[in-house]
Amino acid sequence: TFMTNVFHDLRTPLFVLQGCLARVREQPGCLGEELPVMQGRLEFMRRLVEDMFLMAKLEDRQVIFDTDRVPLAALVQRVAEGGEVQASQKQVSLTWQVRQDCTAWGDEARLEQAVQNLVSNAVYYTRPGGRVTVTLERRQSRGAILVEDTGIGIPPEEQRRIFERYYTVSGKHKHHSSGLGLSIAQEIVHQHGGEIQLESTPGQGSTFTVLLPITEK
């Protein structure tokens, strides 16, 4: 199923590119009109291939993580501020708060990527006028980053599969991405000794909670 989805998502932009090139050959003057479409499809394929390569390396434990102190408050702020553009384009309110600051140990860039994937996913599945909230707090010996949304939610029977490679929630909400974002996030967090928990109610929203071991400053 994974490979079938990959083939489908590679074939579709290739057909678009082929059609654009054929039109440009017939009407060279339309290059300016077709170029943005071609660039968009090439960017999609690039992201897909990069995510597939990263996922394979993570599963084979071939990714070399940097090890340093990671201030989680600063990480949450960067991710939230970076997600504001995507949220504003969808007319979704994105806010963040730090209840207790704490410091993890690991690869800051990869942990930021994991949280960014969760935030991006939350914004995507939240309807215009909805809210996404990112919160940092301390839970005993672990830091907790909560990504809450008022989106479409996930049916109970699908929640256990949500982190599978290329799995998407059933229905018409097809995510225009590689479909590997949640799988990559989970693998990064697991390899940092943490976990991702999910609570979701269909029609009301979801909360993804990243739990990471923390160290004293």
Side-chain angles (χ1 to χ4, degrees), residues 33 50 54 111 128 136 167-168 198 205 207:
E33 180 182 342
E50 287 184 353
L54 175 58
L111 288 174
L136 172 64
Y167 187 79
T168 55
L198 168 64
T207 299

Tab-separated table of all heavy atoms in Angstrom, residues 33 50 54 111 128 136 167-168 198 205 207:
chain	number	residue	atom	x	y	z
A	33	GLU	N	3.200	31.171	-18.102
A	33	GLU	CA	1.998	30.660	-17.429
A	33	GLU	C	2.228	29.262	-16.868
A	33	GLU	O	1.734	28.918	-15.797
A	33	GLU	CB	0.845	30.642	-18.432
A	33	GLU	CG	-0.470	30.129	-17.856
A	33	GLU	CD	-1.556	30.082	-18.913
A	33	GLU	OE1	-1.399	30.736	-19.963
A	33	GLU	OE2	-2.564	29.380	-18.681
A	50	GLU	N	12.755	13.404	-0.544
A	50	GLU	CA	13.550	13.675	0.660
A	50	GLU	C	12.926	13.032	1.892
A	50	GLU	O	13.640	12.470	2.736
A	50	GLU	CB	13.690	15.186	0.867
A	50	GLU	CG	14.637	15.854	-0.114
A	50	GLU	CD	14.834	17.330	0.173
A	50	GLU	OE1	14.129	17.858	1.063
A	50	GLU	OE2	15.686	17.949	-0.491
A	54	LEU	N	14.647	10.179	4.196
A	54	LEU	CA	14.819	10.374	5.635
A	54	LEU	C	14.147	9.263	6.423
A	54	LEU	O	14.720	8.744	7.393
A	54	LEU	CB	14.249	11.733	6.049
A	54	LEU	CG	14.243	12.033	7.559
A	54	LEU	CD1	15.649	11.965	8.147
A	54	LEU	CD2	13.610	13.392	7.826
A	111	LEU	N	14.411	17.633	16.373
A	111	LEU	CA	13.264	17.787	17.255
A	111	LEU	C	12.347	18.902	16.767
A	111	LEU	O	11.119	18.786	16.814
A	111	LEU	CB	13.731	18.069	18.689
A	111	LEU	CG	14.350	16.883	19.432
A	111	LEU	CD1	14.901	17.333	20.775
A	111	LEU	CD2	13.320	15.773	19.634
A	128	PRO	N	-11.074	26.914	8.322
A	128	PRO	CA	-10.971	28.371	8.506
A	128	PRO	C	-11.818	28.824	9.691
A	128	PRO	O	-12.954	28.385	9.867
A	128	PRO	CB	-11.517	28.926	7.186
A	128	PRO	CG	-11.216	27.857	6.180
A	128	PRO	CD	-11.396	26.557	6.914
A	136	LEU	N	3.915	24.402	25.938
A	136	LEU	CA	5.018	23.690	26.578
A	136	LEU	C	4.798	23.683	28.079
A	136	LEU	O	4.530	24.730	28.684
A	136	LEU	CB	6.362	24.352	26.256
A	136	LEU	CG	7.577	23.811	27.032
A	136	LEU	CD1	7.845	22.348	26.691
A	136	LEU	CD2	8.816	24.667	26.761
A	167	TYR	N	-0.156	6.797	5.929
A	167	TYR	CA	-1.559	6.655	6.289
A	167	TYR	C	-2.193	8.027	6.417
A	167	TYR	O	-1.622	8.931	7.026
A	167	TYR	CB	-1.707	5.899	7.611
A	167	TYR	CG	-3.149	5.574	7.927
A	167	TYR	CD1	-3.774	4.507	7.314
A	167	TYR	CD2	-3.888	6.367	8.808
A	167	TYR	CE1	-5.095	4.214	7.573
A	167	TYR	CE2	-5.207	6.077	9.068
A	167	TYR	CZ	-5.812	4.998	8.454
A	167	TYR	OH	-7.125	4.728	8.714
A	168	THR	N	-3.374	8.196	5.849
A	168	THR	CA	-4.109	9.440	5.979
A	168	THR	C	-5.519	9.133	6.456
A	168	THR	O	-6.059	8.061	6.196
A	168	THR	CB	-4.196	10.209	4.633
A	168	THR	OG1	-4.756	9.335	3.643
A	168	THR	CG2	-2.815	10.663	4.193
A	198	LEU	N	-1.760	10.699	21.507
A	198	LEU	CA	-2.832	11.300	20.722
A	198	LEU	C	-4.160	11.172	21.453
A	198	LEU	O	-4.510	10.095	21.942
A	198	LEU	CB	-2.942	10.621	19.350
A	198	LEU	CG	-4.189	10.937	18.518
A	198	LEU	CD1	-4.240	12.406	18.145
A	198	LEU	CD2	-4.248	10.056	17.271
A	205	GLY	N	-11.665	17.976	17.197
A	205	GLY	CA	-10.247	18.297	17.138
A	205	GLY	C	-9.370	17.217	17.733
A	205	GLY	O	-9.850	16.171	18.189
A	207	THR	N	-5.378	16.448	19.894
A	207	THR	CA	-4.233	16.925	20.661
A	207	THR	C	-3.115	15.900	20.553
A	207	THR	O	-3.281	14.748	20.959
A	207	THR	CB	-4.579	17.133	22.147
A	207	THR	OG1	-5.615	18.108	22.268
A	207	THR	CG2	-3.349	17.617	22.916
